[in-house]
Structures are given as structure tokens and as C-alpha cells.
Amino acid sequence: MPGSAPDFRFDAFRLSSRAGAISGTLDARSLPNVAESLVAGDDPVPIAWTIAGRASADDRPALEIDLTGSVPLVCQRCLGPVDWPVAQATEVLLARDEKELVRLDAEVDGEVILADRPLDPATLVQDELVLTLPFAPRHEGECPSARQ
Ligand SMILES: [Zn+2]
């Protein structure tokens, strides 16, 4: 089914060590933490994602999460819809357990995720998408309603 959330999980450390990549498309409306920020509607909001395994600059196991798409947000000035482009690439470091998560979080500037079990791509995509969306989206320049 196009746009549905993937129903598989993957081993993040294995993907990282073999520099593999997985990709897909999911509907932002299917992501609970994102859906509430979207303009109401039934039309799907496809987000193309790629999760690529690699080593970080200091040779730690990492993933790069790429998101591409456009999401309809509510302009906080005129309350009209504003299409917000998403083009985000984020590197996250992998922690094997809670202890390593705490240690890495203290040591590095970047994002660290716990990968002590197989991960759900939809969860990673949702978390990154939430981080990339503006807290108070607005039309650039004048709002369309103000131009009329
Ligand atoms: Zn506006």
C-alpha cells in the first residue's frame, strides 16, 4: 500500500558496519507526533526517507537519515496553509545500551540514539521530522490573505 508505514525493523549496527541503506516513503499523516501539526485533510503527505549506515567522522557507528518532501503546516500569522519544504539530512550516532547512550550524549555534540534492539524506520523518520518542523511556521513575506 503506497504511503503506509513500513512494518519491518532493522539492525542499525549491521546497517552501519556494511554501509547499507534502506529507503521508502511514508505518509506524514500516519505519524502521530507530526499529524497534529498538519493542516487537516485526507490527502496523503508523502515523505521520502533514506537511512544509510556509515561511520561518523571519529569512526563511531552511525546512521544518516535523509528526509525529502513537503508538509502542509498552519501559518501562525494568518492560520492559512503553508507548504513547508523538508530536505533534511541528519547523522545520528548509535549506542549499544543505556550506559553508552549517556556517555556518548555527554561526549559528542550530535544526536545519539539507543539501538540496543532492531529499530523501526518509521519511528526514526518521525523523530527527525518533528525536529525539523518549525515551532511557529509562517508564510515567507506577506501572507496570501494580506495580498488581496
Ligand atoms: Zn500566513
Side-chain angles (χ1 to χ4, degrees), residues 75 78 139 143-144:
C75 172
C78 70
H139 285 105
C143 291

Side-chain angles (χ1 to χ4, degrees), residues 70-86:
S70 176
V71 293
L73 301 179
V74 179
C75 172
Q76 296 304 299
R77 201 161 43 200
C78 70
L79 301 183
V82 49
D83 279 324
W84 199 269
V86 173

Side-chain angles (χ1 to χ4, degrees), residues 26-143:
L26 55 76
D27 183 357
R29 292 196 190 281
S30 72
L31 306 173
N33 294 346
V34 175
E36 63 193 20
S37 304
L38 303 178
V39 173
D42 295 325
D43 53 317
V45 178
I47 300 291
W49 58 269
T50 300
I51 298 174
R54 68 182 196 188
S56 70
D58 52 356
D59 212 27
R60 300 178 199 269
L63 299 177
E64 184 180 293
I65 303 170
D66 288 347
L67 305 179
T68 310
S70 176
V71 293
L73 301 179
V74 179
C75 172
Q76 296 304 299
R77 201 161 43 200
C78 70
L79 301 183
V82 49
D83 279 324
W84 199 269
V86 173
Q88 179 77 11
T90 311
E91 181 181 85
V92 297
L93 298 183
L94 303 176
R96 286 180 197 285
D97 51 39
E98 295 276 358
K99 220 170 127 186
E100 191 175 31
L101 180 70
V102 171
R103 186 171 60 78
L104 284 175
D105 251 339
E107 278 178 20
V108 301
D109 287 334
E111 209 179 318
V112 186
I113 59 169
L114 183 60
D116 61 346
R117 66 200 69 185
L119 299 178
D120 177 0
T123 304
L124 294 184
V125 169
Q126 168 166 273
D127 291 349
E128 290 310 316
L129 192 53
V130 166
L131 290 176
T132 189
L133 294 183
F135 177 69
R138 287 169 175 211
H139 285 105
E140 265 186 57
E142 283 196 339
C143 291

